[in-house]
Amino acid sequence: MKPIQVFMRHCYYSPNSALPNRHRPEWFDKVKLFENFKKTINPELADYTIVYDKKFGPIEDTFLKDEENVEIIEFGYEAGSFSRTVDIALEKGFSDDTIIYFLEDDYLHQEGWCEVLLEGFSLPTHYISLYDHLDKYIDQGYDNLVSKILVSDTCHWRTAPSTCNTYAARVDTLKADYQAHKHFSDASPDGVSMDHAKFVHLGNQGRRLITSIPGYATHVDHLQSPTIDWEKYV
């Protein structure tokens, strides 16, 4: 069994794309983002499963129609799809040390991200994001954030208070924190997981989240991981 199992959530159209804080770059293209993912994944270290929400259209009408390892769900809102994805990942029966990487469909990756993710889990942490959040820096208004800095073989890391619903954890951690992952999606009042509140809660329970510096992935929005020309990856 490969040490990393990716569960990538896709849908034909997501209401999240129309949120007022969404500012996509001109080069944003889900097809190219998926091609980047398949180009940068190391097949010796990771397998992936597509979790496709068919609420707004069948997978047969998308660029994913020829994908083989697919789980079909029907929710139409982010919180429900993520909650079900947690269950799908844990129902697979992976060993407790398997790394589960929950991945949304609007992320780009650098080459080597699988290796760096494995490196990260050699450090004292419970959760990892490869996204270096631009909004966690002083000039972006986060003046009071204090981070601890860690280092693995090829990368620096910082502790962070929260991240989006794209992150990795070992199976045993997900099992132990299962109720939190379910609650902060299932109890959402607007259909969008309360990811910030979830990680603040987990941090208060002694869990550590770290993010790579620089980012080995980015949310393709206006707050992209800094210092990297992400457009070249599409």
Side-chain angles (χ1 to χ4, degrees), residues 126-175:
H126 304 94
Y127 293 93
I128 288 179
S129 170
L130 298 174
Y131 172 32
D132 184 18
H133 293 251
L134 182 61
D135 62 350
K136 299 298 191 290
Y137 287 87
I138 288 177
D139 59 352
Q140 297 295 322
Y142 228 122
D143 294 356
N144 298 319
L145 176 63
V146 177
S147 293
K148 297 183 183 297
I149 304 300
L150 301 86
V151 63
S152 60
D153 288 345
T154 62
C155 184
H156 286 84
W157 305 81
R158 67 184 294 182
T159 57
S162 66
T163 188
C164 306
N165 260 344
T166 287
Y167 60 87
R170 288 194 175 96
V171 167
D172 58 355
T173 301
L174 293 174
K175 288 179 179 177

Side-chain angles (χ1 to χ4, degrees), residues 17-101:
S17 300
L19 291 174
N21 64 345
R22 286 287 179 267
H23 304 286
R24 305 292 196 190
E26 292 182 359
W27 46 264
F28 177 80
D29 185 313
K30 279 192 176 183
V31 177
K32 293 180 179 179
L33 268 59
F34 186 58
E35 291 173 350
N36 160 267
F37 169 75
K38 293 208 292 185
K39 179 180 178 181
T40 57
I41 192 172
N42 183 338
E44 295 183 358
L45 297 178
D47 286 323
Y48 68 92
T49 299
I50 301 295
V51 180
Y52 182 80
D53 192 330
K54 68 176 183 178
K55 179 70 175 181
F56 299 103
I59 195 171
E60 291 77 15
D61 292 344
T62 76
F63 58 90
L64 301 168
K65 62 182 182 297
D66 295 324
E67 288 294 317
E68 296 180 355
N69 196 14
V70 177
E71 298 275 351
I72 301 294
I73 61 175
E74 186 172 4
F75 285 92
Y77 60 99
E78 189 277 335
S81 70
F82 179 78
S83 180
R84 178 60 188 137
T85 299
V86 171
D87 287 334
I88 289 171
L90 293 180
E91 288 166 2
K92 296 293 185 181
F94 296 120
S95 62
D96 282 351
D97 62 347
T98 301
I99 297 167
I100 303 296
Y101 182 24

